[in-house]
Amino acid sequence: MSTKDEAARLLAQKHREIEAGISHILHVTGRVDVELLPDEPIKLLEVNADTVPNGVMPLYFAASPQSGIPYPTAIIEVTPEEFRRIQAKELDLPAGWLHLQELPPEPEPVEK
Amino acid sequence: MSSAKDWERGYARQAQADFTTFQSLQSVRGIPECHRLLFLQMACEKLCKAHLIAGGADPEALQTSHGYIANPLPVVVRQQIIFLRADVTRMTGVLLLTRHLAREIELLNPAVDRAGGRPDNCEYPWDQGGGLHSPLDWSFSPSHLLARKAGRTFLKLVRGAIDRLQT
């Protein structure tokens, strides 16, 4: 079974593959002891130029091990302007969304 | 006091009933387009709200508010595509159409009119351009979008996402 970090990277990669409007995907974590709980979801903050502003509202999805996603997931999708306001501390993330780590696009495989 | 899980299940059940009604009406002659789409709009709104409640949103606040389709629905549909383990790169067209459809479906609710710019809706007559318009006579863009191949795939994905909430 993949770790939560690996599952987060896989999800981010799939999201980028299907949507050209995504400019940033951040893996958000909380307190270490909370992140160790099996029910604590993978938390992704996604910046998408193709979405509409709706504030900071997480969407929760249950785990789906048979689909290769063994952890629940919570996703917040924001516009670039909303992301700017989050960075400027004008918009708050939900409680427990503490540490943000950018998940960059996976490098293209080099053809030999 | 009902738990968030109770509310999520409640919304999911209503979404399923709304969507089943939408589908049933497709084969009934004489049903106005606006009434068919009304059930699709309600199903999509409840599907999105079920995921928002599971994510921590206040159920009471969501009950009386609208405009929760254009942003959340494409994310819900995208997750459904990934859950199905489909070749996601072949589904970019479906997701593009989903974003367009989600905005249009949200506008079917009379409470959402883009600051008066889009008064067309599925329920009430509206005054625009010096004349009164009725939903009964209006041709709604979601109907045209749903007729496309990607539109039919969108409906299957919405159905699947609703069913997934029941498991």
Side-chain angles (χ1 to χ4, degrees):
Chain A
M1 190 168 87
S2 63
T3 66
K4 202 183 272 188
D5 278 352
E6 287 167 347
R9 286 179 196 282
L10 178 68
L11 268 176
Q13 184 185 338
K14 285 181 179 287
H15 291 177
R16 286 185 192 279
E17 282 173 6
I18 198 170
E19 288 217 82
I22 293 177
S23 56
H24 301 278
I25 300 180
L26 297 103
H27 182 200
V28 187
T29 52
R31 286 188 358 228
V32 174
D33 57 326
V34 173
E35 289 298 325
L36 290 173
L37 299 172
D39 289 345
E40 182 62 16
I42 295 167
K43 296 180 282 294
L44 298 178
L45 174 64
E46 302 190 345
V47 186
N48 193 333
D50 293 333
T51 192
V52 294
N54 203 38
V56 175
M57 301 189 77
L59 289 158
Y60 178 91
F61 299 90
S64 180
Q66 66 275 23
S67 306
I69 307 165
Y71 302 96
T73 311
I75 300 171
I76 298 174
E77 187 180 69
V78 295
T79 64
E81 170 58 17
E82 286 174 322
F83 184 51
R84 185 198 64 74
R85 294 182 61 201
I86 289 169
Q87 290 177 307
K89 312 275 186 209
E90 295 168 13
L91 269 180
D92 292 330
L93 290 173
W97 291 54
L98 302 176
H99 313 293
L100 283 63
Q101 183 194 4
E102 175 101 33
L103 295 176
E106 296 286 320
E108 296 281 331
V110 180
E111 288 189 28
K112 292 183 179 175
Chain B
M1 180 87 177
S2 302
S3 69
K5 195 71 192 167
D6 293 334
W7 280 99
E8 180 194 344
R9 288 197 182 119
Y11 271 96
R13 281 190 64 212
Q14 288 300 130
Q16 192 165 50
D18 288 344
F19 195 86
T20 300
T21 305
F22 162 72
Q23 287 189 310
S24 301
L25 292 178
Q26 300 308 304
S27 57
V28 181
R29 292 182 65 182
I31 300 292
E33 181 186 353
C34 58
H35 287 91
R36 294 178 193 185
L37 289 174
L38 179 60
F39 282 98
L40 177 63
Q41 182 267 323
M42 292 194 295
C44 290
E45 185 170 297
K46 290 174 188 116
L47 167 63
C48 293
K49 286 183 174 180
H51 282 284
L52 288 167
I53 289 166
D58 177 9
E60 306 272 358
L62 284 185
Q63 205 163 19
T64 53
S65 56
H66 305 285
Y68 289 109
I69 298 177
N71 176 288
L73 188 60
V75 179
V76 171
V77 168
R78 188 181 66 195
Q79 286 306 101
Q80 183 62 17
I81 290 170
I82 291 169
F83 285 141
L84 292 174
R85 306 185 75 169
D87 178 356
V88 295
T89 56
R90 302 182 77 176
M91 301 294 275
T92 53
V94 172
L95 203 57
L96 206 61
L97 185 82
T98 296
R99 290 212 173 264
H100 187 179
L101 259 171
R103 292 177 198 208
E104 290 296 320
I105 290 172
E106 185 174 279
L107 283 164
L108 297 174
N109 188 315
V112 181
D113 66 1
R114 301 275 186 272
R118 288 289 304 274
D120 48 310
N121 72 88
C122 272
E123 290 186 66
Y124 300 107
W126 65 93
D127 194 346
Q128 190 179 31
L132 193 71
H133 301 277
S134 167
L136 292 169
D137 308 320
W138 198 253
S139 180
F140 293 91
S141 72
S143 293
H144 307 292
L145 297 171
L146 291 170
R148 297 183 190 175
K149 186 181 174 195
R152 295 194 293 275
T153 304
F154 162 82
L155 288 176
K156 287 180 191 167
L157 290 165
V158 168
R159 168 98 250 178
I162 291 171
D163 290 346
R164 182 174 292 277
L165 283 173
Q166 308 291 322
T167 57

CSV table of all heavy atoms in Angstrom, one decimal, chain A residues 55-107:
chain,number,residue,atom,x,y,z
A,55,GLY,N,-14.9,30.7,-2.4
A,55,GLY,CA,-14.4,30.6,-1.1
A,55,GLY,C,-13.6,29.4,-0.8
A,55,GLY,O,-13.3,28.6,-1.7
A,56,VAL,N,-13.3,29.2,0.5
A,56,VAL,CA,-12.5,28.0,0.9
A,56,VAL,C,-13.4,26.9,1.5
A,56,VAL,O,-13.8,27.0,2.6
A,56,VAL,CB,-11.4,28.5,1.9
A,56,VAL,CG1,-10.6,27.3,2.4
A,56,VAL,CG2,-10.5,29.5,1.3
A,57,MET,N,-13.7,26.0,0.6
A,57,MET,CA,-14.7,24.9,1.1
A,57,MET,C,-14.2,23.6,0.6
A,57,MET,O,-14.2,23.2,-0.5
A,57,MET,CB,-16.1,25.2,0.5
A,57,MET,CG,-16.6,26.5,0.9
A,57,MET,SD,-18.4,26.7,0.4
A,57,MET,CE,-19.2,25.7,1.6
A,58,PRO,N,-13.7,22.8,1.6
A,58,PRO,CA,-13.2,21.4,1.2
A,58,PRO,C,-14.3,20.5,0.8
A,58,PRO,O,-15.4,20.5,1.4
A,58,PRO,CB,-12.6,20.9,2.5
A,58,PRO,CG,-12.6,22.0,3.5
A,58,PRO,CD,-13.6,23.0,3.0
A,59,LEU,N,-14.0,19.7,-0.2
A,59,LEU,CA,-14.9,18.6,-0.7
A,59,LEU,C,-14.2,17.3,-0.2
A,59,LEU,O,-13.0,17.1,-0.5
A,59,LEU,CB,-15.0,18.6,-2.2
A,59,LEU,CG,-15.8,19.7,-2.8
A,59,LEU,CD1,-15.4,19.9,-4.3
A,59,LEU,CD2,-17.3,19.4,-2.7
A,60,TYR,N,-15.0,16.5,0.5
A,60,TYR,CA,-14.4,15.2,1.0
A,60,TYR,C,-14.8,14.0,0.2
A,60,TYR,O,-16.0,13.9,-0.3
A,60,TYR,CB,-15.0,15.0,2.4
A,60,TYR,CG,-14.5,13.8,3.1
A,60,TYR,CD1,-13.4,13.7,3.9
A,60,TYR,CD2,-15.3,12.6,3.0
A,60,TYR,CE1,-13.0,12.6,4.5
A,60,TYR,CE2,-14.9,11.4,3.6
A,60,TYR,CZ,-13.7,11.4,4.4
A,60,TYR,OH,-13.3,10.3,5.0
A,61,PHE,N,-13.9,13.1,-0.1
A,61,PHE,CA,-14.1,11.9,-0.8
A,61,PHE,C,-13.6,10.7,0.0
A,61,PHE,O,-12.5,10.8,0.5
A,61,PHE,CB,-13.4,11.9,-2.2
A,61,PHE,CG,-13.9,13.1,-3.0
A,61,PHE,CD1,-13.2,14.3,-3.0
A,61,PHE,CD2,-15.0,12.9,-3.9
A,61,PHE,CE1,-13.7,15.4,-3.8
A,61,PHE,CE2,-15.4,14.0,-4.7
A,61,PHE,CZ,-14.8,15.2,-4.6
A,62,ALA,N,-14.4,9.7,0.1
A,62,ALA,CA,-14.0,8.5,0.9
A,62,ALA,C,-12.9,7.8,0.2
A,62,ALA,O,-12.7,8.0,-1.0
A,62,ALA,CB,-15.2,7.6,1.1
A,63,ALA,N,-12.2,7.0,0.9
A,63,ALA,CA,-11.1,6.2,0.3
A,63,ALA,C,-11.7,5.2,-0.7
A,63,ALA,O,-12.8,4.8,-0.5
A,63,ALA,CB,-10.3,5.4,1.4
A,64,SER,N,-10.9,4.9,-1.6
A,64,SER,CA,-11.3,3.9,-2.6
A,64,SER,C,-10.1,3.0,-3.0
A,64,SER,O,-9.4,3.2,-4.0
A,64,SER,CB,-11.8,4.6,-3.9
A,64,SER,OG,-12.2,3.7,-4.8
A,65,PRO,N,-9.8,2.0,-2.1
A,65,PRO,CA,-8.6,1.2,-2.3
A,65,PRO,C,-8.6,0.5,-3.6
A,65,PRO,O,-7.5,0.3,-4.2
A,65,PRO,CB,-8.6,0.2,-1.1
A,65,PRO,CG,-9.5,0.8,-0.1
A,65,PRO,CD,-10.5,1.7,-0.8
A,66,GLN,N,-9.8,0.0,-4.0
A,66,GLN,CA,-9.8,-0.7,-5.3
A,66,GLN,C,-9.5,0.2,-6.5
A,66,GLN,O,-9.2,-0.3,-7.6
A,66,GLN,CB,-11.2,-1.3,-5.5
A,66,GLN,CG,-12.4,-0.4,-5.7
A,66,GLN,CD,-13.0,0.1,-4.4
A,66,GLN,OE1,-12.3,0.1,-3.4
A,66,GLN,NE2,-14.2,0.6,-4.5
A,67,SER,N,-9.5,1.5,-6.3
A,67,SER,CA,-9.1,2.4,-7.4
A,67,SER,C,-7.7,3.0,-7.1
A,67,SER,O,-7.3,3.9,-7.8
A,67,SER,CB,-10.1,3.6,-7.4
A,67,SER,OG,-11.4,3.2,-7.5
A,68,GLY,N,-7.0,2.4,-6.2
A,68,GLY,CA,-5.6,2.8,-5.9
A,68,GLY,C,-5.5,4.1,-5.1
A,68,GLY,O,-4.5,4.7,-5.0
A,69,ILE,N,-6.6,4.4,-4.4
A,69,ILE,CA,-6.6,5.6,-3.5
A,69,ILE,C,-7.0,5.1,-2.1
A,69,ILE,O,-8.2,5.1,-1.8
A,69,ILE,CB,-7.5,6.7,-4.0
A,69,ILE,CG1,-7.2,7.1,-5.4
A,69,ILE,CG2,-7.4,7.9,-3.1
A,69,ILE,CD1,-8.2,7.9,-6.1
A,70,PRO,N,-6.0,4.6,-1.3
A,70,PRO,CA,-6.4,4.0,-0.1
A,70,PRO,C,-6.7,4.9,1.1
A,70,PRO,O,-7.0,4.5,2.2
A,70,PRO,CB,-5.1,3.2,0.3
A,70,PRO,CG,-4.0,3.9,-0.4
A,70,PRO,CD,-4.6,4.6,-1.6
A,71,TYR,N,-6.6,6.2,0.8
A,71,TYR,CA,-6.9,7.2,1.9
A,71,TYR,C,-8.1,8.1,1.5
A,71,TYR,O,-8.3,8.4,0.3
A,71,TYR,CB,-5.7,8.1,2.1
A,71,TYR,CG,-4.5,7.3,2.5
A,71,TYR,CD1,-3.5,7.0,1.6
A,71,TYR,CD2,-4.3,6.9,3.9
A,71,TYR,CE1,-2.4,6.3,1.9
A,71,TYR,CE2,-3.2,6.2,4.2
A,71,TYR,CZ,-2.2,5.9,3.3
A,71,TYR,OH,-1.1,5.2,3.6
A,72,PRO,N,-8.9,8.6,2.4
A,72,PRO,CA,-9.8,9.6,2.1
A,72,PRO,C,-9.1,10.9,1.6
A,72,PRO,O,-7.9,11.0,1.9
A,72,PRO,CB,-10.6,9.9,3.3
A,72,PRO,CG,-9.8,9.3,4.5
A,72,PRO,CD,-8.9,8.3,3.9
A,73,THR,N,-9.8,11.7,0.9
A,73,THR,CA,-9.2,12.9,0.3
A,73,THR,C,-10.1,14.1,0.5
A,73,THR,O,-11.3,14.0,0.5
A,73,THR,CB,-9.1,12.7,-1.3
A,73,THR,OG1,-8.5,11.5,-1.5
A,73,THR,CG2,-8.2,13.8,-1.9
A,74,ALA,N,-9.5,15.2,0.8
A,74,ALA,CA,-10.2,16.5,0.9
A,74,ALA,C,-9.6,17.5,0.0
A,74,ALA,O,-8.3,17.6,0.0
A,74,ALA,CB,-10.2,17.0,2.4
A,75,ILE,N,-10.4,18.1,-0.9
A,75,ILE,CA,-9.8,19.0,-1.9
A,75,ILE,C,-10.5,20.3,-1.8
A,75,ILE,O,-11.7,20.5,-1.7
A,75,ILE,CB,-10.1,18.4,-3.3
A,75,ILE,CG1,-9.5,17.0,-3.5
A,75,ILE,CG2,-9.6,19.3,-4.4
A,75,ILE,CD1,-9.9,16.3,-4.8
A,76,ILE,N,-9.7,21.4,-1.8
A,76,ILE,CA,-10.1,22.7,-1.9
A,76,ILE,C,-9.6,23.3,-3.3
A,76,ILE,O,-8.4,23.2,-3.5
A,76,ILE,CB,-9.6,23.6,-0.8
A,76,ILE,CG1,-10.1,23.1,0.5
A,76,ILE,CG2,-10.1,25.1,-1.0
A,76,ILE,CD1,-9.6,23.9,1.7
A,77,GLU,N,-10.5,23.7,-4.1
A,77,GLU,CA,-10.1,24.2,-5.4
A,77,GLU,C,-10.4,25.7,-5.4
A,77,GLU,O,-11.5,26.2,-5.1
A,77,GLU,CB,-10.9,23.6,-6.6
A,77,GLU,CG,-10.4,24.0,-7.9
A,77,GLU,CD,-11.1,23.4,-9.1
A,77,GLU,OE1,-12.3,23.7,-9.2
A,77,GLU,OE2,-10.6,22.5,-9.7
A,78,VAL,N,-9.4,26.5,-5.7
A,78,VAL,CA,-9.5,28.0,-5.6
A,78,VAL,C,-9.0,28.6,-6.9
A,78,VAL,O,-8.2,28.0,-7.7
A,78,VAL,CB,-8.8,28.6,-4.4
A,78,VAL,CG1,-9.3,28.2,-3.1
A,78,VAL,CG2,-7.3,28.3,-4.5
A,79,THR,N,-9.4,29.8,-7.2
A,79,THR,CA,-9.0,30.6,-8.3
A,79,THR,C,-7.6,31.2,-8.0
A,79,THR,O,-7.2,31.2,-6.8
A,79,THR,CB,-9.9,31.8,-8.6
A,79,THR,OG1,-9.9,32.7,-7.5
A,79,THR,CG2,-11.3,31.3,-8.9
A,80,PRO,N,-6.8,31.6,-9.0
A,80,PRO,CA,-5.5,32.3,-8.7
A,80,PRO,C,-5.7,33.5,-7.7
A,80,PRO,O,-4.8,33.7,-6.8
A,80,PRO,CB,-5.0,32.7,-10.0
A,80,PRO,CG,-5.6,31.7,-11.0
A,80,PRO,CD,-7.0,31.4,-10.4
A,81,GLU,N,-6.8,34.2,-7.9
A,81,GLU,CA,-7.0,35.4,-7.0
A,81,GLU,C,-7.3,34.9,-5.6
A,81,GLU,O,-6.7,35.5,-4.6
A,81,GLU,CB,-8.1,36.2,-7.5
A,81,GLU,CG,-8.6,37.3,-6.6
A,81,GLU,CD,-7.5,38.3,-6.2
A,81,GLU,OE1,-6.5,38.4,-6.9
A,81,GLU,OE2,-7.8,39.1,-5.2
A,82,GLU,N,-8.0,33.9,-5.4
A,82,GLU,CA,-8.3,33.4,-4.1
A,82,GLU,C,-7.0,32.8,-3.4
A,82,GLU,O,-6.8,33.0,-2.2
A,82,GLU,CB,-9.4,32.2,-4.1
A,82,GLU,CG,-10.8,32.8,-4.3
A,82,GLU,CD,-11.8,31.6,-4.5
A,82,GLU,OE1,-11.4,30.6,-5.2
A,82,GLU,OE2,-12.9,31.8,-4.1
A,83,PHE,N,-6.2,32.2,-4.2
A,83,PHE,CA,-4.9,31.7,-3.7
A,83,PHE,C,-4.0,32.9,-3.3
A,83,PHE,O,-3.3,32.8,-2.2
A,83,PHE,CB,-4.2,30.9,-4.8
A,83,PHE,CG,-2.9,30.3,-4.4
A,83,PHE,CD1,-2.8,29.5,-3.2
A,83,PHE,CD2,-1.7,30.4,-5.1
A,83,PHE,CE1,-1.6,28.9,-2.8
A,83,PHE,CE2,-0.5,29.8,-4.7
A,83,PHE,CZ,-0.5,29.1,-3.6
A,84,ARG,N,-4.0,34.0,-4.0
A,84,ARG,CA,-3.3,35.1,-3.6
A,84,ARG,C,-3.7,35.6,-2.2
A,84,ARG,O,-3.0,36.0,-1.4
A,84,ARG,CB,-3.4,36.3,-4.7
A,84,ARG,CG,-2.5,37.5,-4.4
A,84,ARG,CD,-3.0,38.7,-5.1
A,84,ARG,NE,-4.3,39.2,-4.7
A,84,ARG,CZ,-4.6,39.8,-3.6
A,84,ARG,NH1,-3.7,40.0,-2.7
A,84,ARG,NH2,-5.9,40.2,-3.3
A,85,ARG,N,-5.1,35.6,-2.0
A,85,ARG,CA,-5.6,36.1,-0.8
A,85,ARG,C,-5.3,35.1,0.4
A,85,ARG,O,-5.1,35.5,1.5
A,85,ARG,CB,-7.1,36.2,-0.9
A,85,ARG,CG,-7.5,37.4,-1.9
A,85,ARG,CD,-9.0,37.6,-1.9
A,85,ARG,NE,-9.5,37.9,-0.6
A,85,ARG,CZ,-10.8,37.8,-0.3
A,85,ARG,NH1,-11.7,37.2,-1.2
A,85,ARG,NH2,-11.2,38.1,0.9
A,86,ILE,N,-5.2,33.8,0.1
A,86,ILE,CA,-4.8,32.8,1.1
A,86,ILE,C,-3.3,33.1,1.5
A,86,ILE,O,-3.0,33.1,2.7
A,86,ILE,CB,-4.9,31.4,0.5
A,86,ILE,CG1,-6.4,31.0,0.4
A,86,ILE,CG2,-4.2,30.4,1.5
A,86,ILE,CD1,-6.7,29.7,-0.3
A,87,GLN,N,-2.5,33.3,0.5
A,87,GLN,CA,-1.1,33.6,0.8
A,87,GLN,C,-0.9,34.9,1.6
A,87,GLN,O,0.0,35.0,2.4
A,87,GLN,CB,-0.3,33.7,-0.5
A,87,GLN,CG,-0.1,32.4,-1.2
A,87,GLN,CD,0.6,32.5,-2.5
A,87,GLN,OE1,0.2,33.3,-3.4
A,87,GLN,NE2,1.7,31.7,-2.7
A,88,ALA,N,-1.8,35.9,1.3
A,88,ALA,CA,-1.8,37.2,2.0
A,88,ALA,C,-2.5,37.1,3.3
A,88,ALA,O,-2.6,38.2,4.0
A,88,ALA,CB,-2.4,38.3,1.1
A,89,LYS,N,-3.0,35.9,3.7
A,89,LYS,CA,-3.7,35.7,5.0
A,89,LYS,C,-5.0,36.5,5.0
A,89,LYS,O,-5.5,36.8,6.1
A,89,LYS,CB,-2.8,36.1,6.2
A,89,LYS,CG,-1.4,35.6,6.2
A,89,LYS,CD,-1.4,34.2,6.8
A,89,LYS,CE,0.1,33.7,6.9
A,89,LYS,NZ,0.2,32.3,6.8
A,90,GLU,N,-5.5,36.8,3.9
A,90,GLU,CA,-6.9,37.4,3.8
A,90,GLU,C,-8.0,36.4,3.8
A,90,GLU,O,-9.1,36.7,4.1
A,90,GLU,CB,-7.0,38.3,2.6
A,90,GLU,CG,-6.0,39.5,2.6
A,90,GLU,CD,-5.9,40.2,1.2
A,90,GLU,OE1,-6.8,39.9,0.4
A,90,GLU,OE2,-5.0,41.0,1.0
A,91,LEU,N,-7.6,35.2,3.4
A,91,LEU,CA,-8.6,34.0,3.4
A,91,LEU,C,-7.9,32.9,4.3
A,91,LEU,O,-6.7,32.6,4.1
A,91,LEU,CB,-8.8,33.5,2.0
A,91,LEU,CG,-9.9,34.0,1.1
A,91,LEU,CD1,-9.9,33.3,-0.2
A,91,LEU,CD2,-11.3,33.9,1.8
A,92,ASP,N,-8.7,32.4,5.2
A,92,ASP,CA,-8.2,31.3,6.0
A,92,ASP,C,-8.5,29.9,5.5
A,92,ASP,O,-9.5,29.7,4.9
A,92,ASP,CB,-8.9,31.4,7.4
A,92,ASP,CG,-8.5,32.7,8.1
A,92,ASP,OD1,-7.3,33.2,7.9
A,92,ASP,OD2,-9.3,33.2,8.9
A,93,LEU,N,-7.5,29.1,5.7
A,93,LEU,CA,-7.7,27.6,5.4
A,93,LEU,C,-8.5,27.0,6.6
A,93,LEU,O,-8.4,27.6,7.7
A,93,LEU,CB,-6.4,26.9,5.2
A,93,LEU,CG,-5.7,27.3,3.9
A,93,LEU,CD1,-4.3,26.6,3.8
A,93,LEU,CD2,-6.5,26.9,2.7
A,94,PRO,N,-9.1,25.9,6.4
A,94,PRO,CA,-9.8,25.3,7.5
A,94,PRO,C,-8.9,24.9,8.7
A,94,PRO,O,-7.7,24.8,8.5
A,94,PRO,CB,-10.4,24.0,6.9
A,94,PRO,CG,-10.4,24.2,5.4
A,94,PRO,CD,-9.3,25.1,5.2
A,95,ALA,N,-9.5,24.8,9.9
A,95,ALA,CA,-8.7,24.3,11.0
A,95,ALA,C,-8.0,23.0,10.7
A,95,ALA,O,-8.6,22.1,10.1
A,95,ALA,CB,-9.6,24.2,12.2
A,96,GLY,N,-6.7,22.9,11.1
A,96,GLY,CA,-6.0,21.6,10.8
A,96,GLY,C,-5.3,21.6,9.5
A,96,GLY,O,-4.5,20.7,9.3
A,97,TRP,N,-5.5,22.6,8.6
A,97,TRP,CA,-4.8,22.7,7.4
A,97,TRP,C,-3.6,23.6,7.7
A,97,TRP,O,-3.7,24.8,7.5
A,97,TRP,CB,-5.6,23.2,6.3
A,97,TRP,CG,-6.7,22.3,5.8
A,97,TRP,CD1,-7.7,21.7,6.6
A,97,TRP,CD2,-7.0,21.9,4.5
A,97,TRP,NE1,-8.5,20.9,5.8
A,97,TRP,CE2,-8.1,21.0,4.5
A,97,TRP,CE3,-6.4,22.1,3.2
A,97,TRP,CZ2,-8.7,20.4,3.4
A,97,TRP,CZ3,-6.9,21.5,2.1
A,97,TRP,CH2,-8.0,20.7,2.1
A,98,LEU,N,-2.5,23.0,8.1
A,98,LEU,CA,-1.4,23.9,8.7
A,98,LEU,C,-0.2,24.1,7.7
A,98,LEU,O,0.2,25.2,7.6
A,98,LEU,CB,-0.9,23.2,10.0
A,98,LEU,CG,-2.0,23.0,11.1
A,98,LEU,CD1,-1.4,22.3,12.3
A,98,LEU,CD2,-2.6,24.3,11.5
A,99,HIS,N,0.3,23.0,7.2
A,99,HIS,CA,1.6,23.1,6.5
A,99,HIS,C,1.4,22.8,5.0
A,99,HIS,O,0.8,21.8,4.6
A,99,HIS,CB,2.6,22.1,7.0
A,99,HIS,CG,2.7,22.1,8.5
A,99,HIS,ND1,3.2,23.2,9.2
A,99,HIS,CD2,2.3,21.2,9.5
A,99,HIS,CE1,3.1,22.9,10.5
A,99,HIS,NE2,2.5,21.7,10.7
A,100,LEU,N,1.8,23.7,4.2
A,100,LEU,CA,1.6,23.6,2.7
A,100,LEU,C,2.9,23.3,2.0
A,100,LEU,O,4.0,23.9,2.2
A,100,LEU,CB,1.1,25.0,2.1
A,100,LEU,CG,-0.3,25.4,2.4
A,100,LEU,CD1,-0.7,25.5,3.8
A,100,LEU,CD2,-0.7,26.6,1.6
A,101,GLN,N,2.8,22.2,1.2
A,101,GLN,CA,4.0,21.8,0.4
A,101,GLN,C,3.6,21.7,-1.0
A,101,GLN,O,2.7,20.9,-1.4
A,101,GLN,CB,4.6,20.5,0.9
A,101,GLN,CG,5.8,20.0,0.2
A,101,GLN,CD,6.2,18.6,0.4
A,101,GLN,OE1,5.4,17.8,1.0
A,101,GLN,NE2,7.3,18.2,-0.2
A,102,GLU,N,4.2,22.4,-1.9
A,102,GLU,CA,3.9,22.4,-3.3
A,102,GLU,C,4.3,21.0,-3.9
A,102,GLU,O,5.4,20.5,-3.6
A,102,GLU,CB,4.7,23.5,-4.1
A,102,GLU,CG,4.6,23.4,-5.6
A,102,GLU,CD,3.6,24.5,-6.1
A,102,GLU,OE1,3.5,25.6,-5.5
A,102,GLU,OE2,2.9,24.2,-7.1
A,103,LEU,N,3.4,20.5,-4.7
A,103,LEU,CA,3.6,19.2,-5.4
A,103,LEU,C,3.9,19.6,-6.9
A,103,LEU,O,2.9,19.9,-7.6
A,103,LEU,CB,2.5,18.2,-5.3
A,103,LEU,CG,2.1,17.7,-3.9
A,103,LEU,CD1,0.9,16.8,-4.0
A,103,LEU,CD2,3.3,16.9,-3.4
A,104,PRO,N,5.1,19.7,-7.3
A,104,PRO,CA,5.4,20.1,-8.7
A,104,PRO,C,5.0,19.0,-9.7
A,104,PRO,O,4.8,17.9,-9.3
A,104,PRO,CB,6.9,20.3,-8.7
A,104,PRO,CG,7.4,19.5,-7.6
A,104,PRO,CD,6.3,19.3,-6.6
A,105,PRO,N,4.8,19.4,-10.9
A,105,PRO,CA,4.5,18.4,-11.9
A,105,PRO,C,5.6,17.3,-12.0
A,105,PRO,O,6.7,17.7,-11.8
A,105,PRO,CB,4.4,19.2,-13.2
A,105,PRO,CG,4.2,20.6,-12.8
A,105,PRO,CD,4.9,20.7,-11.5
A,106,GLU,N,5.1,16.1,-12.3
A,106,GLU,CA,6.1,15.0,-12.4
A,106,GLU,C,6.9,15.3,-13.7
A,106,GLU,O,6.3,15.7,-14.7
A,106,GLU,CB,5.4,13.7,-12.6
A,106,GLU,CG,4.7,13.2,-11.3
A,106,GLU,CD,5.6,12.8,-10.2
A,106,GLU,OE1,6.6,12.1,-10.5
A,106,GLU,OE2,5.4,13.2,-9.0
A,107,PRO,N,8.2,15.1,-13.7
A,107,PRO,CA,9.0,15.3,-14.9
A,107,PRO,C,8.6,14.3,-16.0
A,107,PRO,O,8.2,13.2,-15.7
A,107,PRO,CB,10.5,15.1,-14.5
A,107,PRO,CG,10.4,14.3,-13.2
A,107,PRO,CD,9.0,14.6,-12.6
